[in-house]
Amino acid sequence: MGHYKVKVIFINPVDGTSTKLIRALKKAHQAGIKIIVVDSQLENSSNYVDCTIRSNNYQAGVLCAKELMSKQKSANILILQQPTAISVVDRIKGFENTIKNNKNFHIVDKINTTGQSENSYPKVQKYLKQGKNFDTIMSLNDKTAVGALAAINANNKSSKIAIYSIDGSENIKKMLSTQNANVKATVAQSPLQIGKVAIKVAYKLINHQKVKKEIILPVKLITSKNIKNFNITGWQ
């Protein structure tokens, strides 16, 4: 089996501040390898990342907040977040900045998760058993939302807690299509579009063509009202 010289690295960083990861990517970039970041971001990346391709994460948070305020007169909100992921930080920031001037919408607490349902389930379940008062969840992504929903159902709180999320994954879209009592909305990003753009950028970089340092793709709100316009069995 022959050896192939790496020309491009695609990376989706879970921890955008990891010093080990950043150090490795800087070495690769110095060796002439093109670095393309997809879906999330890396800290202070201008001198070692050739292009970052991501969804408009801040706007995703804004859309969730606007939908929440249009559907409820007030809310006590539990936020499920992941502080190490810059994309998630942007999502939550967009949400918080949109509701901050509305005195009827309160953030009661924030729980740090890993963005996975198996992590959010026990954390939300523990929080519910403590008897904390909240009626709305803003989740960093759909996987986390699924874990939170399982915890809500396990604690027989299903009719009282509304869930807003981000991703547009198959699981949440199916729940919206069947008008699940808890799941109110998700903001869809398009992994398919991110992938297509990433490949085009890679070929341009290999051929020494100029590309933008950052490409931000639009996001769309999905609710039970417009779910019929989306592919329920896969990503957009």
Side-chain angles (χ1 to χ4, degrees), residues 135-148:
D135 54 33
T136 305
I137 285 177
M138 171 58 198
S139 175
L140 66 101
N141 67 6
D142 287 353
K143 284 185 177 180
T144 302
V146 168

Side-chain angles (χ1 to χ4, degrees), residues 21 45 74 99 101 111 199 212 219:
L21 174 61
S45 61
S74 64
I99 67 164
N101 294 321
I111 295 177
I199 289 296
K212 291 181 180 178
V219 291

Side-chain angles (χ1 to χ4, degrees), residues 25-221:
L25 291 175
K26 282 182 177 179
K27 282 185 179 180
H29 195 256
Q30 287 166 4
I33 298 171
K34 304 300 181 183
I35 310 296
I36 299 175
V37 176
V38 294
D39 194 36
S40 190
Q41 296 128 277
L42 283 162
E43 194 172 55
N44 302 321
S45 61
S46 59
N47 64 341
Y48 64 95
V49 171
D50 294 281
C51 184
T52 296
I53 304 158
R54 61 178 181 83
S55 303
N56 192 333
N57 289 300
Y58 185 90
Q59 181 64 12
V62 171
L63 289 174
C64 279
K66 285 184 174 179
E67 178 67 9
L68 165 61
M69 290 190 292
S70 75
K71 291 293 184 286
Q72 296 176 209
K73 292 181 179 179
S74 64
N76 292 317
I77 306 158
L78 174 65
I79 289 182
L80 306 179
Q81 63 180 6
Q82 185 183 2
T84 60
I86 296 172
S87 58
V88 171
V89 172
D90 283 350
R91 291 174 181 184
I92 301 305
K93 193 182 295 181
F95 180 85
E96 289 179 318
N97 287 348
T98 307
I99 67 164
K100 69 180 179 182
N101 294 321
N102 193 322
K103 62 182 180 180
N104 296 318
F105 292 80
H106 306 280
I107 295 169
V108 297
D109 216 338
K110 298 178 183 179
I111 295 177
N112 293 344
T113 78
T114 59
Q116 301 296 324
S117 56
E118 59 266 27
N119 183 260
S120 61
Y121 173 77
K123 289 193 172 185
V124 173
Q125 189 172 50
K126 181 180 178 182
Y127 197 83
L128 284 164
K129 285 180 178 177
Q130 291 171 350
K132 300 292 180 70
N133 180 34
F134 68 98
D135 54 33
T136 305
I137 285 177
M138 171 58 198
S139 175
L140 66 101
N141 67 6
D142 287 353
K143 284 185 177 180
T144 302
V146 168
L149 179 60
I152 290 166
N153 289 335
N155 284 269
N156 297 315
K157 300 282 187 181
S158 59
S159 62
K160 300 176 183 177
I161 299 170
I163 297 175
Y164 294 82
S165 182
I166 296 168
D167 264 350
S169 68
E170 182 180 346
N171 282 341
I172 293 295
K173 284 190 291 189
K174 282 182 178 176
M175 291 177 194
L176 287 169
S177 70
T178 57
Q179 298 192 340
N180 180 279
N182 298 90
V183 179
K184 302 302 180 184
T186 186
V187 176
Q189 56 179 350
S190 177
L192 294 176
Q193 187 66 13
I194 290 173
K196 287 176 182 177
V197 172
I199 289 296
K200 288 178 181 178
V201 166
Y203 280 120
K204 283 187 176 182
L205 288 170
I206 291 170
N207 291 313
H208 308 290
Q209 297 174 7
K210 284 188 177 182
V211 300
K212 291 181 180 178
K213 272 284 186 181
E214 187 171 52
I215 298 172
I216 302 174
L217 301 175
V219 291
K220 296 177 181 178
L221 181 77

